[in-house]
Amino acid sequence: MLSAHHEWRATSLPLPSTAPRFARELPPWALYLQGVTARDGTTLVFLPGALLDSDAGTPSQYALAFADLLDTHLPSDSCAKITVLVDTKGVKGGANPPAQTVIPYLRELCAVFSANFPERLVRLVVYPVPWQLRWIWTAIKVFLDPATASKVVLLTGDKDAEAPGRRFPVALGEYVDTDAALRSQAAPLFSGSKASSHPLTTEVVHALYLSHCVPTAAKSLATADSAVHTPST
């Protein structure tokens, strides 16, 4: 397994200068909460599902861009571990991909984690996940080793997740101090861009989309509200 990892690293990292990266060719799909950790002290990484645009890149390109970020910000001699939060709710103006489109992206991401960063990931929390969509996890789980699969937590939605400006269920508080998160500043895991607030609200996820999407899309959103996709629930 170690030899396979070394072979993968030699052929995959660092990414060549022309490879797609977040907030460049790809949407801003990986962020962390500035100064805020999970309750267990691990670094928080936030993945806004609504910003995943399948037209921008392949599952492999997204996974490699994420791996490159981890490799850059968490050096191999570091013991830092992460908790990943995957927000599945839609957002006005986002790509808002359907569930069947997201599956290969999450599957590829989990596969790269499982094979090459098994000790980095402490927990991957996906929310909100309606009961009728739990089949997605079944479709992904078969590609993971048992140790990685055991780190995945699915949280269903609740009335708090549906409240104006809120995107997360109460149960997320078991893993994250959401009050602290609400007071924090969001900062991308990539460099060169800042958000004005934490990425747990619809407004901020939307702002991220507007600031990083292709200029023509941003202009379209600003001038034609009627053409903007309504957030899914």
Side-chain angles (χ1 to χ4, degrees):
M1 183 175 180
L2 186 59
S3 61
H5 166 69
H6 286 312
E7 182 179 349
W8 173 85
R9 176 174 287 278
T11 58
S12 303
L13 298 175
L15 289 180
S17 60
T18 55
R21 285 178 168 79
F22 295 131
R24 202 174 70 179
E25 295 83 3
L26 301 177
W29 200 54
L31 311 106
Y32 72 98
L33 296 182
Q34 181 77 35
V36 180
T37 60
R39 291 194 183 277
D40 59 8
T42 54
T43 298
L44 282 178
V45 178
F46 177 74
L47 302 182
L51 300 189
L52 191 156
D53 185 353
S54 60
D55 290 334
T58 65
S60 177
Q61 288 173 327
Y62 270 80
L64 286 175
F66 191 76
D68 184 66
L69 288 176
L70 292 183
D71 199 55
T72 301
H73 293 272
L74 302 175
S76 57
D77 59 352
S78 165
C79 294
K81 298 181 183 298
I82 64 173
T83 290
V84 178
L85 305 180
V86 182
D87 180 347
T88 68
K89 289 187 70 175
V91 63
K92 186 177 182 179
N96 297 305
Q100 59 269 28
T101 298
V102 176
I103 289 177
Y105 288 84
L106 291 182
R107 189 165 58 203
E108 185 72 16
L109 183 64
C110 288
V112 168
F113 254 122
S114 179
N116 301 288
F117 301 95
E119 301 306 317
R120 291 290 196 193
L121 181 65
V122 171
R123 189 171 290 106
L124 189 150
V125 185
V126 187
Y127 65 91
V129 182
W131 287 105
Q132 63 269 30
L133 292 182
R134 294 215 162 198
W135 61 269
I136 295 176
W137 170 230
T138 302
I140 297 172
K141 186 176 181 180
V142 294
F143 291 88
L144 304 179
D145 66 87
T148 301
S150 68
K151 299 175 182 179
V152 177
V153 177
L154 304 183
L155 302 179
T156 56
D158 58 24
K159 59 181 178 60
D160 282 6
E162 301 304 322
R166 290 287 290 271
R167 299 185 62 83
F168 54 89
V170 165
L172 184 61
E174 180 180 344
Y175 308 100
V176 180
D177 182 347
T178 52
D179 288 335
L182 288 172
R183 294 193 300 270
S184 73
Q185 293 292 311
L189 191 56
F190 49 80
S191 61
S193 177
K194 294 184 181 296
S196 60
S197 184
H198 65 94
L200 294 180
T201 66
T202 297
E203 290 77 9
V204 173
V205 176
H206 189 201
L208 283 168
Y209 175 81
L210 289 174
S211 63
H212 293 290
C213 66
V214 247
T216 53
K219 181 178 180 181
S220 173
L221 286 170
T223 59
D225 281 345
S226 60
V228 174
H229 184 78
T230 302
S232 57
T233 55

